[in-house]
Amino acid sequence: MSFPQMKNRCSLLFTIAIMLSACNQNSITGRRQLTLFPENLLQQQSLTQYQSFLKQNRVVPLSGSKDAEMVNRVGRRIAGAISNYYEKKKIKSDFSNYKWEFNLVENKEINAWCMPGGKVVVYSGLLPIAQNEASLAVVLGHEITHAIALHGNERLSQAAVAQGLQIAGDFFTQDSERANALFNNVFGPTAAVGVLLPNSRKQEHEADEFGLIFAAMAGYDPREAIGFWKRMSAAGGTKPPEFLATHPSDENRIKALQSHMNEAMTYYEASKRN
Ligand SMILES: [Zn+2]
């Protein structure tokens, strides 16, 4: 499929029509969102970036490191919980082709992310703020929700439309410089573009809500989320970390988390009976 350039009004209308038809209902959140890019294309692009990131950062080896083991254990339990959730709700999986990897990297930044395709990275700088395994589960639940709810695709689509870019199947090879810049802005480890786009607040809310549920289903106390986000807020200081810039921890966030706590606690109690 090839998208027309906005040369005249006709093509503008056509573009709007395409955008409307490209709005898909998300299988997990139920919200309609603009997702113009084939997920396999994003996963390929993510994999390249992930591999080069791992080359530039020291990955803490799994054997002999309790922290790296914890990251891996929490990640696998969250991924398992998500599979259970999809099964229970009879949702068609958007992530059946994910090849999960959970890495801890030695990096002082307070950060963590999950790329489309299931590549998850936790920075060692996050662990002193997380302080416990349940808080780490809340963060990973949140980050993984961004990926499986196709938030990156949505942000990339919005950014591409805002820039009037022509989007085709060979988008990443045809205009590779612009395409890569766009991709890095949205998916890169220092991506901050989400905070500027209108849907970012909605996306944050969704990631919080489902992240809390997945952590609870994985057997982690969801109430730890409140303390974690308060510690994040306190860690801000005068020069807030990138993660905090895209994840402002304010009263609204805490209130929204609390509004989902009863539901999350039901899942947590059920997880103890399994
Ligand atoms: Zn987020």
Side-chain angles (χ1 to χ4, degrees):
M1 185 166 57
S2 149
F3 282 67
Q5 274 176 318
M6 284 193 260
K7 278 183 187 149
N8 54 42
R9 239 163 137 197
C10 242
S11 66
L12 175 64
L13 287 176
F14 184 63
T15 305
I16 291 170
I18 296 260
M19 277 170 59
L20 291 176
S21 68
C23 271
N24 298 310
Q25 189 167 26
N26 189 278
S27 61
I28 181 164
T29 64
R31 181 167 63 80
R32 292 194 80 78
Q33 56 184 175
L34 182 71
T35 47
L36 297 172
F37 295 88
E39 271 298 295
N40 62 355
L41 193 69
L42 294 190
Q43 289 182 17
Q44 260 171 39
Q45 194 74 10
S46 299
L47 187 63
T48 310
Q49 199 181 39
Y50 170 73
Q51 284 163 344
S52 84
F53 176 85
L54 290 189
K55 271 186 205 143
Q56 290 157 20
N57 287 271
R58 199 183 103 78
V59 177
V60 181
L62 202 53
S63 61
S65 161
K66 286 214 170 349
D67 286 344
E69 272 176 23
M70 174 175 71
V71 167
N72 190 51
R73 176 173 59 244
V74 173
R76 301 219 168 265
R77 281 171 67 170
I78 297 281
I82 295 173
S83 290
N84 289 343
Y85 183 87
Y86 274 54
E87 223 168 87
K88 247 187 209 150
K89 301 268 179 185
K90 298 192 172 29
I91 302 172
K92 197 178 143 283
S93 168
D94 289 320
F95 64 94
S96 50
N97 58 344
Y98 271 36
K99 292 189 175 63
W100 295 106
E101 280 180 33
F102 305 96
N103 282 302
L104 174 67
V105 298
E106 243 170 49
N107 189 314
K108 282 185 191 139
E109 265 182 62
I110 301 169
N111 205 357
W113 40 258
C114 172
M115 284 187 175
K119 309 305 185 202
V120 178
V121 165
V122 172
Y123 294 51
S124 55
L126 180 80
L127 297 183
I129 314 279
Q131 288 182 6
N132 57 59
E133 197 160 326
S135 293
L136 182 64
V138 165
V139 180
L140 290 191
H142 177 105
E143 290 307 315
I144 292 172
T145 300
H146 276 316
I148 61 170
L150 314 182
H151 287 168
N153 197 333
E154 184 178 21
R155 288 193 298 191
L156 194 63
S157 302
Q158 289 169 341
V161 168
Q163 292 182 25
L165 290 186
Q166 191 171 332
I167 300 155
D170 54 357
F171 176 67
F172 287 110
T173 45
Q174 218 175 41
D175 187 0
S176 59
E177 206 171 302
R178 270 182 97 181
N180 281 329
L182 183 72
F183 183 88
N184 290 342
N185 267 340
V186 175
F187 287 102
T190 56
V193 107
V195 83
L196 304 170
L197 292 168
N199 265 332
S200 62
R201 192 165 293 188
K202 260 184 227 156
Q203 292 188 341
E204 279 308 295
H205 191 129
E206 287 170 357
D208 275 347
E209 178 187 351
F210 287 96
L212 205 61
I213 288 170
F214 299 146
M217 285 181 82
Y220 295 106
D221 190 339
R223 291 168 295 193
E224 290 291 340
I226 308 296
F228 168 75
W229 284 108
K230 285 184 177 165
R231 290 194 293 281
M232 275 301 289
S233 179
T238 49
K239 194 175 170 283
E242 198 68 48
F243 186 86
L244 207 55
T246 50
H247 294 78
S249 178
D250 52 21
E251 257 177 60
N252 290 338
R253 167 161 247 142
I254 306 278
K255 262 191 210 152
L257 280 165
Q258 266 155 348
S259 74
H260 297 298
M261 203 54 80
N262 282 349
E263 189 190 0
M265 284 305 286
T266 313
Y267 283 108
Y268 178 52
E269 295 301 333
S271 80
K272 288 194 235 171
R273 290 193 292 274
N274 289 336

